[in-house]
Amino acid sequence: QVQLVESGGGLVQTGDSLRLSCAVSGRTFSNYAMGWFRRAPGKGREFVAAITATGGSLFYADSVKGRFTISRDNAKNTVYLQMNSLKPEETAVYYCARGRSGGRDLPYDSTYDYWGQGTQVTVSS
């Protein structure tokens, strides 16, 4: 069984930073790409960032490029999302997800087969 548990969300002010973590159960974490998505109030799920299994390639939504950084520590079965210069419109529940075996279209949610429960990020003005 694969389980993903996000942590690190909270209430911050505009311009602040947060680092989200996603701990993944299982023995083969290093074989899979990982992604971060978010769902803002009243809106659909949006791609944020993704990283390939080896960490060799990174992908970002245009809206977060230059401010967010995705990384992974395969020895700890953990993926991270460092979020800097947060904006109020980025208030959302943030989810991590594991890519399907062989999945390559990382900005698309259909690429992922397991999802965490989400962690709330609230950015106030």
Side-chain angles (χ1 to χ4, degrees):
Q1 182 180 11
V2 177
Q3 291 185 322
L4 291 73
V5 180
E6 302 96 334
S7 61
L11 174 63
V12 298
Q13 296 181 15
T14 298
D16 284 354
S17 297
L18 280 175
R19 189 179 77 158
L20 307 183
S21 299
C22 176
V24 184
S25 67
R27 306 173 187 176
T28 56
F29 172 76
S30 62
N31 291 345
Y32 301 94
M34 297 293 299
W36 286 96
F37 292 77
R38 64 189 178 193
R39 175 167 280 165
K43 297 185 178 181
R45 190 162 55 198
E46 176 190 25
F47 169 75
V48 177
I51 186 168
T52 54
T54 64
S57 296
L58 311 177
F59 303 87
Y60 297 97
D62 287 343
S63 61
V64 308
K65 197 171 298 180
R67 297 186 298 114
F68 289 14
T69 303
I70 187 170
S71 61
R72 67 191 297 159
D73 186 340
N74 286 349
K76 296 182 178 180
N77 283 14
T78 302
V79 62
Y80 305 95
L81 184 68
Q82 177 67 44
M83 305 186 295
N84 296 331
S85 301
L86 282 161
K87 305 174 181 179
E89 58 264 37
E90 293 173 317
T91 293
V93 177
Y94 284 70
Y95 301 89
C96 66
R98 192 193 79 169
R100 298 180 183 275
S101 181
R104 297 183 179 182
D105 295 329
L106 300 185
Y108 303 97
D109 58 9
S110 62
T111 297
Y112 301 88
D113 56 359
Y114 290 94
W115 296 78
Q117 83 289 351
T119 186
Q120 176 70 47
V121 173
T122 302
V123 186
S124 69
S125 59

